[in-house]
Amino acid sequence: MAGLGCQMAGQGCRARARARDASGVPRRRPRRAAPRSVTPSAVRNAPFQGRWKVPGGRLGQVLEVMPKRRPSVAAGASRPEALDAGEAPARTPSRREKAVKSFDALVRFTRPHTMLGTAVSVTSVSLLALDAASDLTPRFALCLAAALSSALAMNVSIVGLNQVYDVEIDRVNKPYLPLASGEMSIAWGRRTVALSAAASLAVGLASGSAPLVAALVSSLVLGVFYSADLPLLRWKRFPVLAAACILCVRALIVQLGFYAHARLSVLHGTGQNVRLSSSLGLAFGTGFMLLFSVVIALFKDLPDIAGDEGAGVRTLSVALGPRFVFRTCLALLGAAYAAAMVVGLLCTTHWWSAYVTVASHAILGSRLFQLSADVDVGSSKSLYELYMFIWKLFYAEYALLPFIR
């Protein structure tokens, strides 16, 4: 055993002796260098000289990363730069999200404030045709449903037609509209207009009511005359003709046509004829809405002066200036509310009708002039806010109309 230990010790000494160099300094084993981490950004940003050289691995070795073809980044796909920066990659919207977005564009295409105005006015005028609560029959309900559905579909057709021909103007005045913003194509808008008009006329013809069909057809004709950019048409370029179109639809066709349609339902089977002069509410509503429709026709152009001037549309707001048109609209509304209070005091046959008519119009008129005092005539935003409040007054008037008796 001792001999074996000496033999092993001798072999160890000879190994150490061979590890010495000529100078007698023992050699040391090289230490392993700590591997360097190679990030995607380091590889991507390394200069290209036939190959990318990134230090790493054992000492004296070079990690060679051969260039690879980068995949093209499609629109909306995640980019390596975005991932390195910590940005969330854009994702493709789901079918449900696309459907919601398309539905939102379609709703804005219908101009909801005009849809609400049509629904309120048709319902209010139809209720004026009732003589008593007993007239609320299933036949009257069907009559009202036909009137509402056809009127709303025609409203979509008319306002949609105006947007189709006003795309360039709306890109300045109303860039949030779907055709102006590109959310809806022109072809989609035209199809919506055509289908809405066809559906409206189909409901009118199916009802068998001549007053309803006449109201729908005349509204569509005036809508085409107002908006279509065809020879002798596009009456919106002429202030008087533009105001006349709006006045005829809102003050005459809606009042008389839909009242006569509802009255036919109430008088069905009685042998009586429809008399338009027998209702105080109808006479008052027609006169009041004549003034109100003129105001809407004039005031709607006040926030759109910049776009109308650029497109060469000579509205009264462009020709006479916004301040003059603004004061004229306030004067007309003031006269309308004063006349309404006089009607409530002198013409109503019930004390509660007189009270409701006078008090409500006094409150609404006071609120209008209170808000108008803070309007900046030089600001499109300020004018548009008051314009939308005038539409609210329009809704309120039709809500009050059945109480004027």
Side-chain angles (χ1 to χ4, degrees):
M1 293 295 292
L4 181 59
C6 292
Q7 185 179 1
M8 293 179 64
Q11 291 177 356
C13 291
R14 285 192 295 272
R16 286 193 295 271
R18 285 195 301 269
R20 297 177 182 275
D21 57 7
S23 60
V25 179
R27 297 178 181 176
R28 296 181 179 179
R29 291 184 179 181
R31 296 180 179 179
R32 290 186 177 181
R36 300 183 183 180
S37 62
V38 182
T39 63
S41 59
V43 175
R44 187 168 52 252
N45 298 327
F48 178 70
Q49 297 177 352
R51 63 184 180 180
W52 285 318
K53 295 183 178 181
V54 181
R58 296 177 179 274
L59 183 64
Q61 293 182 352
V62 176
L63 175 63
E64 298 181 0
V65 181
M66 302 304 295
K68 297 180 180 180
R69 180 180 297 176
R70 294 186 182 183
S72 59
V73 180
S78 59
R79 303 182 305 274
E81 292 84 354
L83 294 177
D84 288 345
E87 299 177 7
R91 63 182 183 84
T92 304
S94 64
R95 291 183 178 180
R96 180 178 179 276
E97 291 172 336
K98 291 180 179 179
V100 170
K101 187 176 180 181
S102 299
F103 179 76
D104 176 70
L106 181 61
V107 170
R108 284 182 283 120
F109 180 77
T110 64
R111 307 293 281 149
H113 67 281
T114 64
M115 295 284 283
L116 181 58
T118 297
V120 172
S121 59
V122 170
T123 302
S124 177
V125 170
S126 299
L127 291 177
L128 281 176
L130 301 177
D131 293 326
S134 59
D135 293 331
L136 287 171
T137 61
R139 181 178 181 83
F140 177 80
L142 290 175
C143 163
L144 180 58
L148 277 175
S149 58
S150 59
L152 291 174
M154 186 58 69
N155 189 95
V156 173
S157 179
I158 292 173
V159 299
L161 184 67
N162 186 58
Q163 292 177 67
V164 168
Y165 283 102
D166 278 2
V167 173
E168 297 300 327
I169 299 177
D170 288 340
R171 285 173 181 162
V172 178
N173 293 334
K174 303 180 183 72
Y176 52 85
L177 293 179
L179 290 184
S181 64
E183 297 174 78
M184 285 181 66
S185 65
I186 302 297
W188 185 10
R190 288 174 176 170
R191 286 195 298 268
T192 304
V193 169
L195 291 175
S196 299
S200 175
L201 295 176
V203 172
L205 291 172
S207 70
S209 172
L212 179 58
V213 173
L216 296 174
V217 171
S218 56
S219 297
L220 179 60
V221 169
L222 288 175
V224 172
F225 285 3
Y226 179 85
S227 300
D229 193 5
L230 298 173
L232 302 179
L233 301 184
R234 198 162 174 79
W235 288 3
K236 66 179 300 179
R237 296 176 297 176
F238 311 103
V240 176
L241 291 177
C245 286
I246 298 175
L247 185 149
C248 287
V249 173
R250 290 292 179 186
L252 297 178
I253 294 176
V254 171
Q255 312 294 327
L256 305 181
F258 288 95
Y259 177 85
H261 168 66
R263 193 65 182 164
L264 282 177
S265 172
V266 173
L267 299 179
H268 178 73
T270 62
Q272 300 181 26
N273 295 324
V274 176
R275 297 177 56 190
L276 299 179
S277 60
S278 60
S279 172
L280 173 63
L282 177 65
F284 168 79
T286 302
F288 190 93
M289 287 304 164
L290 280 172
L291 292 178
F292 218 105
S293 299
V294 171
V295 170
I296 290 178
L298 297 178
F299 208 101
K300 73 178 185 61
D301 296 325
L302 284 174
D304 299 341
I305 290 180
D308 291 339
E309 284 182 330
V313 178
R314 295 285 295 175
T315 62
L316 283 180
S317 299
V318 174
L320 302 178
R323 192 171 300 276
F324 176 81
V325 175
F326 179 77
R327 291 175 177 174
T328 302
C329 290
L330 289 182
L332 290 174
L333 287 175
Y337 280 108
M341 289 186 282
V342 172
V343 169
L345 289 173
L346 303 180
C347 301
T348 54
T349 56
H350 305 280
W351 67 267
W352 54 266
S353 178
Y355 178 81
V356 170
T357 304
V358 174
S360 59
H361 287 90
I363 293 173
L364 294 175
S366 299
R367 182 59 177 164
L368 169 66
F369 284 98
Q370 180 184 1
L371 293 178
S372 65
D374 299 329
V375 172
D376 180 8
V377 181
S379 170
S380 295
K381 180 180 179 182
S382 182
L383 289 169
Y384 184 77
E385 289 175 353
L386 186 62
Y387 174 64
M388 295 311 296
F389 179 75
I390 291 175
W391 270 99
K392 294 177 182 178
L393 295 178
F394 181 85
Y395 308 148
E397 193 60 37
Y398 273 112
L400 293 171
L401 199 56
F403 297 96
I404 302 175
R405 296 182 178 271

